[in-house]
Amino acid sequence: MEKEVLEAVIHHNDRVERVEKVIKVKSGSAVGPGENYASTVLKLRAQVLLGSGRVVNRTYILKKVPPSGGQESLFQAETKIYTNVLKQMDYLIEEFGLAEEPLWCQLIHYEPYTSMLLEDLQGRGYKLVNCRTGLDLDHGLQAIRALGRFHGLAKVLEGRGIISKDDYRPHHGTNKEVVQTMTYPAIQNLIAGIRTWGPEWNDVAAKLDLSFEEFFQFCCKSFEVKKPDFKVLNHGDCWSNNILFKYDWRMKPVSVRFIDFQNPHHNSPFIDVSHFLYFSMQPPIRRNSYNCLLENYLESLISTLTKYGYQGPKPSMDDALLAMDHLSYFWVYIYAAWYPYIIAEPKETPDLAIIVQTKGKEGFSPEIYKEGKVKELLAPDLLYLAKKSHHFRNL
């Protein structure tokens, strides 16, 4: 086909598929009540006229600063990820001519820094796994390999000077106001909650109980991962509610997309890995397949770095285990405080906006620890944490 003919065909096809007019649009919430205090997330259902003359239905996701305001910095951070980092990752994949799908959705439009119009991944066949159920091993392997690929692409861009660690805030786990408002009250609720399991848990509760200043110092030191000295751009909120999957005809997950890039930070990649493992995986599967999941993450990370020509040092399995051990005390603490609310019935889930507004004085209840399988799921990790309590007290 001659170049001029090909050009005409492509232009015609673009006109045929282009949206010429929005006929009508309806909107509704895209998330459950209390699930997202940092933004208002709407699904837009639009009837549109295409250049071909056909009328079709299209769906989009609209994220807006909530009516209470005050979250513009989060929108600014996410907008910069979409317009700079993810776009550069697209260019990197094209440069190497690799047949790899992106790990994110398309940003269609944004208003600095109050709203974003995004591609609706569910309209393309991607689905969330119910966070109350958690991920099985098949989903976990797909997601953690995708995370390794994301970190690898980010590190290559950093090596090219496109990403700078100075562009990102520290993890919110070291923000004193956040810890005092959300994290520490959740920990105090955890301590009160496990005391309801019986007097034999009083000793465990006592070992977990730190003063606020002790706990805040523990949080800050937890994120000082000294080995390996391999730091990358982290997603920052990598858990099952921010991961969508596409399936083959056997309903096996074959593709992954990440959403919600409002909390990026530059630090050890094992912060993202720990967050993912504790908040996404079914606890027994996480405990039984811990090394397998970590090995798959590393293999994906290192193969991505190698494939895209990264020449710097790469973490080993020993490095990974050491970093994960250092971080595990923090993440088990946080996981035990929040996981009961993740698996609870929606009516029992606290409204995060209320917790923020009351600085943690309202929104938590130790009664949640009496629900269903909470004790069965959490007890092994809490016993581990209590046994290691001298580590985090002297971290």
Side-chain angles (χ1 to χ4, degrees):
M1 182 178 289
E2 293 182 2
K3 178 171 68 70
E4 292 78 9
V5 176
L6 178 61
E7 184 177 308
V9 168
I10 291 172
H11 285 172
H12 172 73
N13 186 68
D14 286 345
R15 286 196 301 272
V16 165
E17 294 300 319
R18 186 173 60 225
V19 174
E20 296 289 347
K21 182 181 180 181
V22 175
I23 300 170
K24 61 181 179 181
V25 60
K26 294 181 179 180
S27 66
S29 179
V31 298
E35 284 188 14
N36 198 323
Y37 82 95
S39 56
T40 299
V41 186
L42 302 174
K43 177 169 282 196
L44 305 184
R45 294 175 172 84
Q47 187 180 68
V48 302
L49 175 68
L50 300 182
S52 65
R54 289 194 308 127
V55 174
V56 299
N57 296 319
R58 295 280 171 87
T59 58
Y60 306 92
I61 297 296
L62 178 64
K63 293 183 71 171
K64 302 193 299 180
V65 170
S68 58
Q71 306 297 338
E72 289 83 357
S73 63
L74 299 179
F75 271 69
Q76 183 174 7
E78 185 166 27
T79 301
K80 287 182 176 179
I81 291 293
Y82 274 107
T83 57
N84 181 27
V85 176
L86 302 183
K87 182 180 289 187
Q88 291 294 333
M89 286 183 180
D90 271 329
Y91 294 160
L92 186 62
I93 293 169
E94 289 178 4
E95 176 187 332
F96 279 77
L98 299 171
E100 294 184 340
E101 290 189 356
L103 296 168
W104 47 87
C105 67
Q106 178 188 359
L107 173 67
I108 298 170
H109 178 72
Y110 71 95
E111 296 289 338
Y113 289 103
T114 59
S115 67
M116 287 179 285
L117 185 66
L118 300 161
E119 169 189 22
D120 177 22
L121 290 172
Q122 291 185 336
R124 297 189 55 193
Y126 285 85
K127 299 177 182 178
L128 284 169
V129 174
N130 188 331
C131 63
R132 292 177 58 214
T133 303
L135 303 185
D136 61 19
L137 187 57
D138 283 344
H139 287 83
L141 289 172
Q142 282 287 333
I144 207 162
R145 291 188 66 84
L147 185 59
R149 188 176 149 224
F150 176 82
H151 286 162
L153 290 168
K155 192 64 177 176
V156 173
L157 293 182
E158 183 184 337
R160 293 184 173 198
I162 296 170
I163 291 178
S164 170
K165 62 182 178 62
D166 299 324
D167 292 339
Y168 304 97
R169 300 168 298 178
H171 188 277
H172 54 77
T174 62
N175 181 303
K176 195 165 190 175
E177 183 179 357
V178 171
V179 174
Q180 196 161 26
T181 297
M182 299 184 70
T183 313
Y184 190 69
I187 296 299
Q188 293 304 301
N189 187 64
L190 157 68
I191 292 165
I194 63 175
R195 290 185 189 277
T196 68
W197 292 350
E200 67 275 17
W201 283 89
N202 287 341
D203 184 54
V204 173
K207 288 181 178 180
L208 303 183
D209 195 5
L210 304 174
S211 70
F212 172 73
E213 288 301 330
E214 284 180 307
F215 182 74
F216 180 64
Q217 289 304 313
F218 157 69
C219 291
C220 294
K221 289 180 181 178
S222 293
F223 288 98
E224 295 174 1
V225 182
K226 296 177 181 177
K227 189 177 180 182
D229 187 21
F230 179 88
K231 294 179 170 59
V232 302
L233 175 68
N234 279 242
H235 177 283
D237 196 13
C238 189
W239 74 293
S240 56
N241 253 23
N242 291 330
I243 306 171
L244 288 87
F245 298 88
K246 201 172 201 177
Y247 299 86
D248 65 11
W249 61 274
R250 300 165 298 176
M251 291 308 294
K252 293 283 189 181
V254 294
S255 184
V256 174
R257 298 288 174 100
F258 297 114
I259 59 173
D260 198 347
F261 294 90
Q262 292 190 341
N263 290 288
H265 63 96
H266 189 274
N267 205 327
S268 167
F270 298 104
I271 295 174
D272 261 358
V273 174
S274 299
H275 189 169
F276 168 76
L277 289 180
Y278 284 103
F279 280 88
S280 303
M281 299 299 301
Q282 296 172 22
I285 292 177
R286 185 235 315 145
R287 288 190 283 263
N288 293 334
S289 304
Y290 188 87
N291 279 14
C292 172
L293 288 159
L294 197 53
E295 286 167 357
N296 271 269
Y297 166 78
L298 270 180
E299 194 281 327
S300 178
L301 170 68
I302 292 169
S303 65
T304 301
L305 292 170
T306 302
K307 188 163 38 179
Y308 287 96
Y310 176 76
Q311 299 297 317
K314 306 174 182 70
S316 67
M317 187 63 176
D318 286 343
D319 290 333
L321 288 169
L322 188 64
M324 293 292 287
D325 187 55
H326 176 84
L327 287 160
S328 66
Y329 313 125
F330 173 81
W331 283 113
V332 174
Y333 231 135
I334 305 307
Y335 149 78
W338 285 98
Y339 196 69
Y341 291 103
I342 292 174
I343 62 176
E345 294 289 342
K347 61 182 174 59
E348 298 167 341
T349 302
D351 191 323
L352 295 180
I354 291 175
I355 293 173
V356 173
Q357 290 165 8
T358 64
K359 296 190 180 299
K361 294 178 181 178
E362 296 179 21
F364 295 107
S365 171
E367 295 299 307
I368 194 73
Y369 287 87
K370 296 179 180 179
E371 295 293 326
K373 294 186 176 180
V374 169
K375 180 179 178 181
E376 177 186 336
L377 292 172
L378 292 185
D381 292 306
L382 285 169
L383 291 172
Y384 160 84
L385 189 60
K387 183 179 178 181
K388 298 283 188 178
S389 62
H390 63 283
H391 283 275
F392 60 76
R393 287 183 183 274
N394 299 304
L395 196 63

